[in-house]
């Protein structure tokens, strides 16, 4: 009887240690990231858009040479050395899911930057990459947006 009890305890301990293991790698996906972690990553430097796909149409070239700075006070600056556009940004809890967070971007002008305005779902956050997706509720398609951190 003692052997069965010891074996049962050992088996349960093994199950819980493997089922509940966590990956604390800073390059892991954002599925378990907190709002503060994503905010800190975004504020950690300047970023560039390396991919923007709007309902199947590649529009990355609209943002070539622009650097994006996610600043304090929710200020978002896009600058290419000549043009300077200001928007706002935030990271918030998704209204639809307590376990999901949104990466919110809003530009009012120009039109190409206004296209970025949305409450994006986070696919991945690392110290050097933020990958976002937005599935339109109106059936107009799926958009993908990737920021990569500039080497400084």
């Amino acid at each position: 009887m003692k052997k069965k009890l010891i074996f049962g305890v050992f088996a349960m301990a093994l199950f819980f240690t493997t089922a509940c293991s966590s990956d604390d790698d800073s390059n892991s996906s954002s599925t378990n990231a907190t709002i503060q972690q994503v905010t800190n990553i975004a504020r950690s430097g300047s970023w560039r858009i390396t991919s923007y796909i709007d309902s199947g149409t590649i529009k990355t070239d609209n943002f070539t040479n622009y650097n994006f700075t996610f600043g304090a006070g929710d200020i978002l600056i896009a600058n290419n050395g000549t043009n300077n556009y200001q928007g706002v940004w935030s990271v918030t809890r998704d209204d639809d899911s307590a376990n999901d967070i949104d990466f919110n971007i809003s530009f009012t002008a120009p039109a190409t930057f206004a296209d970025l305005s949305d409450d994006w779902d986070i696919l991945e956050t690392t110290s050097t990459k933020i990958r976002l997706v937005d599935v339109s509720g109106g059936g107009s398609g799926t958009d993908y947006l990737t920021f990569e951190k500039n080497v400084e």
Side-chain angles (χ1 to χ4, degrees):
M1 180 71 176
K2 262 187 174 179
K3 285 184 181 181
K4 286 183 183 179
L5 180 61
I6 292 172
F7 177 75
V9 170
F10 177 73
M12 297 241 337
L14 181 63
F15 171 77
F16 283 114
T17 58
T18 58
C20 297
S21 68
S22 65
D23 183 3
D24 197 22
D25 184 3
S26 64
N27 291 328
S28 66
S29 172
S30 68
T31 53
N32 294 320
T34 66
I35 290 171
Q36 193 60 52
Q37 288 169 330
V38 175
T39 299
N40 290 343
I41 288 170
R43 286 185 179 157
S44 69
S46 68
W47 301 78
R48 67 193 180 286
I49 292 177
T50 57
S51 179
Y52 176 52
I53 303 170
D54 184 3
S55 300
T57 303
I58 298 171
K59 295 185 176 181
T60 309
D61 288 347
N62 293 341
F63 308 99
T64 300
N65 298 321
Y66 278 93
N67 293 309
F68 293 80
T69 305
F70 299 94
D74 298 338
I75 301 298
L76 174 56
I77 302 293
N79 184 295
N80 69 354
T82 303
N83 299 311
N84 194 53
Y85 301 114
Q86 184 172 322
V88 294
W89 75 287
S90 63
V91 181
T92 59
R93 180 91 34 226
D94 188 325
D95 293 337
D96 299 332
S97 171
N99 295 327
D100 191 19
I101 55 178
D102 285 338
F103 197 101
N104 308 291
I105 298 173
S106 180
F107 282 99
T108 56
T112 54
F113 282 80
D115 283 347
L116 300 176
S117 298
D118 221 321
D119 56 338
W120 297 87
D121 291 324
I122 300 172
L123 292 175
E124 175 186 20
T125 54
T126 70
S127 60
T128 60
K129 185 182 288 187
I130 301 170
R131 287 188 25 209
L132 309 169
V133 66
D134 179 62
V135 179
S136 174
S140 65
T142 302
D143 302 339
Y144 296 93
L145 176 62
T146 302
F147 289 95
E148 290 191 36
K149 190 173 183 179
N150 290 316
V151 178
E152 299 181 17

